[in-house]
Amino acid sequence: MDKRIILPGERIAEGRLNAPNTFVEGGQTYAAVVGMVDEEGRYLALENRYRPGIGDSVVGIVTDVRHVGYEVDIGTPQSGFIPTRNIRINLQLGDFVLSRIKTVNEVGDVDLGEVRRLPAGKIIEFPSAKVPRLIGRKSSMLMLLRDYAGGDIMVGNNGYVWISDKSDIPLLLKVIKLIDKKAHKSGLTDEVAALLKAEKGELPAGRRSTEESYSGEEQPGEAEGEGPQQARQNEEPQENIYRDEETKEEGV
Amino acid sequence: MSSEKTEVQLIIDGKRVDGRSPDDMRNIRVEAGVLGEADGSSYVEWGGNKITCGVYGPRECIPKHDSSPYHSIVKCRYMMSPFASSEEHSRSGPSRRSTELSKVIREVFENLIISEKFPNTQIDIYIDVLQAEGGTRTASVTAAAVALANAGIPMKDMVSAVAVGKAGGVMLLDLGKFEDNFGQSDMPIALSARDKKILLLQMDGMLTKEEIEKALDMAEAGCVELHQVQADALRRFYEGGEKESFRF
């Protein structure tokens, strides 16, 4: 299998190709970030920076509460904003939310809508270029993780991953680290399944994540599936001090 | 640089002071992703030079009045450690020299980074010279290109840089410290990998027109070799998947 690593400036196609993380110069298409060519000959980014797109579902942390709305850290240079008119629930500083990007203006300011508060849990940062691998084809990977970890997981396009406190967090961290490391290898789902089986044994019958009240709903993170369009990127370093404490106090 | 009256013999039997022939480069080792907290990073050992580079961003532009709604601002800080060489460097704050180097390195990357995608932000490139042995600006450019690729910042091309100069009357590739200090001329050149555009060119001392043409050819050969080393470092990194890029 051809797993050539592509460097910035390498030509990936003759003629114009409208793909993310590329640019066109002199009628030729070149890679703009480090990527690879997959089995079907598509160029996939291995490392990129998350750029908010309309319709993306993102996981974020409320960083400021104001009269007009809430500031939400979604791992972009300019934080996201939830206007009060877009939301009926009240949020508190440090709340985790799952929401959808409504608008992005030309200077990168993001407005969020369809806000859902996430229960007590943990947020980790995952490279957003590898998010499609964490979700898996038809969210197979995510379902696998939910079933074995016993709790819910929400993956944002921005690379923030929320893990429920009910789940086996140490196990999930281990598995997510594995997915990060081997994101561009084939047979990843099988390897993860094997690891989960080794750690947890066979899945007890009837113990599916769908029993949890909130996971029966539509999962915006799942709708994305796999593909180069979803290949989005990493984020800047964030201060995570309050992520654990705040939710514990709150005891959602 | 010093005049031609130098007493130091830099070329003996066609060999240089460190035993290289005129168009040999020093040993180069490049590693990508060496710093856990940076968005992208690299480490370069080039002869006696040891350089780390960390890249952050695009992130909120501070101070705000530096920002542009049209593109991301590239900021570069080259710093030589106080212990980097046998000469006195006192404390490692900004100096005339490091300010100049920061500027020329920044301009290299301003020409490469596709910054229009990130309005009102800045991209920081921090270069720390831990040990210096001549040619730190070229090594810094080489390191920063790898760090930027590692950070996933969109770029039009990769870049590598090497110095060419004249010492002991002979044109030399990749000047070392002595050739730089006691030679006749020193010309650092940065060339992009794909289209061989000159992104940095400075010169100390004097060269004839013919010598400059020869110098550019030598630099191109050097940069091709360097690009291979950079590419190998990035391939090694991504094929091995060593970086633990998610944080808690």
Side-chain angles (χ1 to χ4, degrees):
Chain A
M1 193 177 80
D2 187 12
K3 261 192 296 195
R4 202 158 54 90
I5 303 279
I6 305 273
L7 299 185
E10 254 178 72
R11 192 172 66 203
I12 50 171
E14 300 274 345
R16 289 169 177 275
L17 189 73
N18 189 17
N21 303 305
T22 63
F23 66 98
V24 176
E25 199 175 280
Q28 312 269 315
T29 308
Y30 299 93
V33 299
V34 180
M36 57 170 280
V37 172
D38 71 356
E39 298 92 333
E40 286 112 59
R42 288 179 306 178
Y43 164 75
L44 296 171
L46 281 175
E47 192 92 60
N48 60 2
R49 315 293 310 170
Y50 176 67
R51 289 179 63 221
I54 292 169
D56 282 3
S57 87
V58 292
V59 172
I61 305 127
V62 177
T63 55
D64 195 11
V65 180
R66 286 188 284 144
H67 187 65
V68 287
Y70 303 93
E71 291 273 349
V72 183
D73 164 21
I74 53 167
T76 49
Q78 293 96 339
S79 52
F81 187 69
I82 307 172
T84 315
R85 65 182 143 77
N86 282 3
I87 189 175
R88 295 217 184 92
I89 50 173
N90 281 317
L91 297 175
Q92 282 182 320
L93 196 64
D95 274 357
F96 299 150
V97 291
L98 178 70
S99 61
R100 198 174 285 284
I101 294 180
K102 285 287 164 203
T103 60
V104 185
N105 72 4
E106 56 274 22
V107 291
D109 297 325
V110 174
D111 269 11
L112 302 167
E114 295 177 33
V115 182
R116 216 142 53 90
R117 185 163 67 190
L118 295 168
K122 213 169 166 31
I123 282 192
I124 63 169
E125 288 175 37
F126 189 77
S128 62
K130 297 172 183 170
V131 159
R133 298 295 278 164
L134 186 56
I135 293 169
R137 213 162 288 239
K138 294 192 178 137
S139 53
S140 56
M141 185 74 83
L142 211 51
M143 260 140 54
L144 193 70
L145 293 181
R146 281 195 187 117
D147 289 348
Y148 274 95
D152 208 354
I153 303 160
M154 293 290 177
V155 184
N157 288 133
N158 58 341
Y160 281 16
V161 180
W162 171 85
I163 301 172
S164 162
D165 264 355
K166 289 176 191 158
S167 52
D168 183 349
I169 291 176
L171 173 70
L172 277 178
L173 293 180
K174 199 167 156 187
V175 175
I176 292 172
K177 198 173 269 189
L178 178 85
I179 297 170
D180 181 16
K181 266 190 178 178
K182 305 206 165 167
H184 56 290
K185 302 262 161 60
S186 49
L188 184 65
T189 313
D190 296 339
E191 197 176 335
V192 169
L195 174 74
L196 287 168
K197 220 165 256 180
E199 291 274 337
K200 281 267 185 185
E202 278 301 323
L203 197 63
R207 189 176 155 199
R208 323 273 324 175
S209 61
T210 39
E211 285 174 13
E212 278 198 59
S213 58
Y214 44 79
S215 55
E217 297 170 36
E218 181 225 7
Q219 311 286 340
E222 294 183 5
E224 320 303 333
E226 220 170 348
Q229 268 69 23
Q230 271 70 47
R232 287 174 173 270
Q233 57 290 100
N234 214 347
E235 45 287 310
E236 64 183 310
Q238 301 285 343
E239 290 173 353
N240 305 345
I241 333 142
Y242 49 74
R243 284 183 193 171
D244 297 341
E245 278 68 20
E246 290 278 328
T247 34
K248 264 179 216 145
E249 283 172 16
E250 201 184 281
V252 183
Chain B
M1 287 298 103
S2 52
S3 72
E4 289 190 42
K5 283 180 219 148
T6 172
E7 312 251 313
V8 186
Q9 218 185 342
L10 290 165
I11 304 286
I12 303 163
D13 300 336
K15 292 273 180 196
R16 302 207 239 165
V17 280
D18 49 6
R20 287 184 284 158
S21 56
D23 51 3
D24 269 359
M25 292 209 286
R26 290 170 282 182
N27 286 335
I28 299 156
R29 184 164 80 92
V30 180
E31 296 292 336
V34 292
L35 308 174
E37 281 304 307
D39 293 331
S41 58
S42 64
Y43 174 68
V44 169
E45 267 183 30
W46 182 335
N49 294 311
K50 291 182 180 176
I51 292 170
T52 53
C53 177
V55 168
Y56 292 84
R59 58 183 178 183
E60 190 186 357
C61 190
I62 295 169
K64 273 250 157 68
H65 65 257
D66 277 356
S67 69
S68 161
Y70 300 106
H71 56 84
S72 185
I73 304 291
V74 180
K75 292 187 176 175
C76 177
R77 195 227 46 191
Y78 164 98
M79 189 183 84
M80 201 172 233
S81 300
F83 48 81
S85 75
S86 54
E87 277 113 60
E88 176 85 15
H89 280 290
S90 66
R91 63 196 178 86
S92 58
S95 65
R96 185 204 60 77
R97 184 176 173 283
S98 71
T99 308
E100 176 206 320
L101 263 61
S102 300
K103 176 188 173 284
V104 296
I105 296 167
R106 188 190 75 224
E107 285 172 353
V108 168
F109 292 103
E110 277 175 346
N111 283 302
L112 289 178
I113 294 171
I114 306 172
S115 56
E116 297 78 33
K117 292 182 178 175
F118 306 101
N120 284 342
T121 60
Q122 68 178 22
I123 295 166
D124 286 304
I125 304 169
Y126 295 111
I127 297 161
D128 280 73
V129 179
L130 306 178
Q131 190 176 298
E133 199 224 329
T136 55
R137 80 191 69 194
T138 54
S140 298
V141 168
T142 307
V146 174
L148 282 161
N150 182 229
I153 290 169
M155 286 194 289
K156 290 205 163 130
D157 210 344
M158 288 292 282
V159 61
S160 50
V162 68
V164 188
K166 194 165 113 180
V170 182
M171 293 299 293
L172 303 173
L173 180 65
D174 183 23
L175 300 181
K177 184 181 170 63
F178 288 109
E179 292 154 348
D180 183 1
N181 290 0
F182 302 107
Q184 288 98 52
S185 186
D186 170 28
M187 186 163 85
I189 301 168
L191 289 176
S192 59
R194 169 164 51 91
D195 44 17
K196 306 281 179 282
K197 278 189 181 133
I198 298 173
L199 295 169
L200 181 156
L201 194 144
Q202 296 180 293
M203 187 165 83
D204 273 337
M206 305 254 250
L207 290 174
T208 64
K209 199 178 161 193
E210 292 72 37
E211 282 169 339
I212 293 219
E213 275 166 17
K214 175 136 199 277
L216 287 171
D217 289 344
M218 288 170 84
E220 190 174 329
C223 284
V224 168
E225 194 179 318
L226 277 166
H227 177 63
Q228 203 50 52
V229 179
Q230 290 174 310
D232 286 347
L234 286 164
R235 291 211 172 95
R236 210 163 50 237
F237 178 78
Y238 285 101
E239 275 163 5
E242 285 304 313
K243 188 182 175 193
E244 290 172 4
S245 44
F246 77 92
R247 293 180 283 270
F248 308 101

